[in-house]
Amino acid sequence: MGIMLKKPEGVAGSAWPAILIGLFVAFGGVLFGYDTGTIGGILEMPYWQRLFAKGNHTNITSSEKSLIVSILSAGTFFGALLASPMGDLTGRRWGLIYSTFVFTFGVILQTAATAQPMFIAGRFFAGLGVGLISALIPLYQSETSPKWIRGTVVGAYQLAITIGLLIAAIVNNSTSNRNDTGCYRIPIAVQFAWGLILVGGMLLLPETPRYLIKRGRPEDAARSLSRLRRLDVTHPALIEELAEIEANHQYELSLGKATYLDTVRGTLGKRLATGCLLQALQQLTGVNFIFYYGPNFFKSVGIKPFTTNLITNIVNVVSTFPGLYMVEKWGRRPLLLFGAIGMCICQFIVAAVGTAATGSSAQKAMIAFVCIYIFFFACSWGPVAWVVTGELFPLKVRAKSLSMTTATNWLLNFAIAFSTPYIVDTGPGKAGLGPKVFFIWGSCCFVCIAFVWFLIYETKGLSLEQVDELYSKVGKAWQSKGFVPTVSFQEVRDAAGINGRGQSLADLEATAYRKRSITHEGEVLGHEKM
């Protein structure tokens, strides 16, 4: 096996248009990453503290800090749930454009704010837009990318998030000492540029061929796939790929119209549980504790907050690149196991050092192992969680299921953002855990190890249609690595048309196989008679 990611031999057309389109769409992750990064720094700006503090206070309280940070995640939760109807009604492409308008409205409110109510409202609407975008981007990427590099393309969404976090740290560092409203308005207003870039690009990109098939527009789907693969609409390879997509969709429709209840039936329920737990555990690894409250936490233990925040963000960006490579070389399952084990060890070390030791040596050790932890997260659970959830679901329920898995991510994001000040800070009504909070994150990482072993299937190299076959034939996640697809959905569609409603995929495959054998025997007999 070579070290380079190469297009498989015999695959017609060019993969670069679809890859570049997928990488551009990933730019939407900058919106979330940048917004997450700015709020942590803004909360520590002296001028912002004085301006937004209520009454005679010179600083905002822990409860106010909790609300300001977590309200974005509340908005993203509802945005992710709304992504399904928006993605199905307006399309993946226009859905992303409309979502960016919602996000921009939130940025306007935050930029204009000089008191908490308007600032909080702006955070909510920005979160609503980010939630919509965060569910639609993996959906768009997974439906347009070639299967042999789909993991890297979808994982680039996480890379964009890390780049957004890094840019936010740099901008915050440059404006933090300003003694006017520019200290927070400049970092927030920069987000207008991100929205403009995303909308401008999406106006030029095609709708996904799978969505167009779903809407009964096969001619438009052929033109879209032609742009993505750089093949003429009459090319046999393009016709074959489109026929397989359409046949898979027809098979799904033969099982009945999709409802939210369908997302929990049969293997779809297992897949939905896997996706929701994966997104929940991604948050429970503790990564957003570091990026939401990192500056505040490091300051409380005597470490320079803005400098440390910049270092952790640089590590986050750089470490994501090997993950984008390894997701296609190692596979989803081994990479998630590798990351969970590494994160677990680092979190317990940080907790032990922070609890038992003091002084500069302990501080340096904490920073070092936080950075190592970020490496393990950024090369595994950061990008791969989005990759796996983007691959799990069939076209019939894909938008609905993805919106729920993404909403789970944001629900846990909200819970962590809201509760952290009460868990970490000292004072009346607070737990005052301080560095001990890393014991909680380490324990969650230990749960991640068992979760990957028992529930994560290996989907590397499979088309989205072949993932259906994987779940219908392989009962245990640890047995999925050696799976080889054998179903052609065009043959299954023909078999279903005979007497297939209500039959399992395995039964339909057997019917299709018998039909193919009879046809082959007839052709042989015909040749012998000649």
Side-chain angles (χ1 to χ4, degrees):
M1 182 176 67
I3 63 170
M4 298 296 292
L5 297 176
K6 294 181 180 180
K7 185 175 74 169
E9 293 183 11
V11 176
S14 173
W16 279 108
I19 293 171
L20 293 176
I21 287 171
L23 293 177
F24 173 80
V25 173
F27 180 83
V30 171
L31 278 68
F32 167 51
Y34 185 88
D35 197 83
T36 301
T38 54
I39 195 61
I42 287 171
L43 288 174
E44 295 306 310
M45 293 178 179
Y47 182 87
W48 186 90
Q49 288 266 4
R50 293 193 302 271
L51 180 64
F52 283 81
K54 292 181 178 179
N56 296 322
H57 297 287
T58 57
N59 293 297
I60 63 171
T61 65
S62 292
S63 60
E64 291 168 343
K65 185 188 301 179
S66 171
L67 177 61
I68 289 168
V69 173
S70 64
I71 195 67
L72 178 95
S73 301
T76 55
F77 172 75
F78 292 108
L81 290 178
L82 290 171
S84 170
M86 177 176 280
D88 280 341
L89 290 174
T90 67
R92 289 40 164 154
R93 174 173 165 262
W94 279 104
L96 280 168
I97 293 171
Y98 296 144
S99 303
T100 307
F101 290 149
V102 176
F103 170 80
T104 303
F105 176 66
V107 173
I108 291 171
L109 293 180
Q110 289 178 81
T111 305
T114 55
Q116 285 190 36
M118 184 181 285
F119 194 82
I120 290 169
R123 292 275 296 164
F124 177 82
F125 281 104
L128 192 66
V130 168
L132 288 162
I133 290 167
S134 65
L136 291 170
I137 284 176
L139 185 61
Y140 185 99
Q141 290 174 313
S142 62
E143 290 189 355
T144 54
S145 302
K147 63 182 180 181
W148 62 273
I149 201 169
R150 185 178 60 240
T152 298
V153 172
V154 178
Y157 175 61
Q158 178 66 23
L159 175 63
I161 293 174
T162 66
I163 291 172
L165 285 163
L166 176 60
I167 296 172
I170 294 169
V171 175
N172 278 345
N173 198 40
S174 63
T175 66
S176 60
N177 294 322
R178 289 179 64 111
N179 201 32
D180 56 26
T181 57
C183 69
Y184 71 91
R185 281 178 168 162
I186 292 171
I188 292 171
V190 167
Q191 295 173 103
F192 288 118
W194 312 145
L196 184 64
I197 292 169
L198 186 60
V199 169
M202 291 308 301
L203 288 171
L204 302 175
L205 299 185
E207 183 54 84
T208 75
R210 285 177 171 86
Y211 172 77
L212 294 170
I213 287 291
K214 183 174 183 176
R215 302 300 291 181
R217 296 159 57 185
E219 295 83 5
D220 292 334
R223 284 191 287 271
S224 172
L225 196 59
S226 175
R227 285 184 63 184
L228 292 168
R229 303 290 185 262
R230 281 289 188 271
L231 292 171
D232 188 85
V233 292
T234 60
H235 193 283
L238 187 141
I239 293 172
E240 176 68 19
E241 182 175 355
L242 202 62
E244 187 68 4
I245 294 170
E246 187 166 9
N248 175 256
H249 181 55
Q250 291 299 323
Y251 164 70
E252 291 169 10
L253 290 179
S254 73
L255 304 178
K257 189 177 179 180
T259 65
Y260 275 96
L261 190 59
D262 288 316
T263 63
V264 296
R265 286 177 174 158
T267 65
L268 293 180
K270 180 179 181 179
R271 288 189 252 182
L272 182 62
T274 299
C276 289
L277 286 170
L278 179 61
Q279 291 285 14
L281 287 169
Q282 189 206 47
Q283 291 300 308
L284 289 171
T285 60
V287 66
N288 277 330
F289 166 76
I290 294 168
F291 292 115
Y292 278 138
Y293 293 107
N296 180 261
F297 173 77
F298 289 127
K299 183 179 179 181
S300 70
V301 295
I303 303 171
K304 289 184 178 180
F306 284 103
T307 304
T308 306
N309 197 37
L310 186 61
I311 292 170
T312 55
N313 277 290
I314 291 172
V315 173
N316 196 23
V317 173
V318 173
S319 301
T320 305
F321 285 99
L324 299 182
Y325 171 79
M326 290 188 292
V327 71
E328 292 298 350
K329 281 296 179 182
W330 284 13
R332 286 62 162 151
R333 187 177 157 84
L335 188 54
L336 286 172
L337 274 173
F338 167 77
I341 294 168
M343 289 189 297
C344 182
I345 294 170
C346 290
Q347 293 282 31
F348 281 125
I349 291 174
V350 172
V353 171
T355 303
T358 57
S360 61
S361 296
Q363 292 172 0
K364 291 175 183 177
M366 285 181 68
I367 294 172
F369 279 99
V370 164
C371 289
I372 297 170
Y373 156 79
I374 290 172
F375 162 77
F376 281 110
F377 175 86
C379 74
S380 60
W381 280 74
V384 180
W386 298 104
V387 173
V388 172
T389 53
E391 296 173 336
L392 279 175
F393 308 107
L395 182 59
K396 179 181 176 181
V397 297
R398 187 171 296 144
K400 291 180 176 65
S401 297
L402 262 179
S403 73
M404 286 189 280
T405 60
T406 308
T408 303
N409 181 293
W410 295 121
L411 182 63
L412 269 294
N413 193 305
F414 168 78
I416 292 167
F418 186 81
S419 62
T420 292
Y422 298 102
I423 295 172
V424 177
D425 293 350
T426 57
K430 301 180 181 68
L433 289 182
K436 294 186 185 74
V437 73
F438 285 92
F439 282 119
I440 297 176
W441 309 138
S443 300
C444 291
C445 291
F446 185 79
V447 173
C448 290
I449 298 171
F451 167 76
V452 174
W453 179 258
F454 288 108
L455 283 176
I456 295 296
Y457 281 66
E458 184 54 69
T459 53
K460 178 173 77 79
L462 300 178
S463 71
L464 297 180
E465 289 70 37
Q466 289 166 344
V467 174
D468 271 352
E469 184 186 351
L470 167 67
Y471 272 89
S472 70
K473 291 183 175 180
V474 181
K476 303 291 191 297
W478 57 87
Q479 297 171 345
S480 61
K481 185 178 179 182
F483 171 74
V484 178
T486 58
V487 168
S488 164
F489 276 95
Q490 295 174 67
E491 294 178 341
V492 165
R493 176 188 56 188
D494 295 339
I498 297 170
N499 188 23
R501 191 173 180 84
Q503 292 188 50
S504 68
L505 185 59
D507 291 337
L508 290 169
E509 183 189 8
T511 302
Y513 179 78
R514 287 195 298 271
K515 183 180 177 183
R516 186 168 65 233
S517 298
I518 292 167
T519 303
H520 177 69
E521 288 172 4
E523 290 175 352
V524 171
L525 288 173
H527 284 299
E528 288 177 351
K529 288 179 180 179
M530 290 175 65

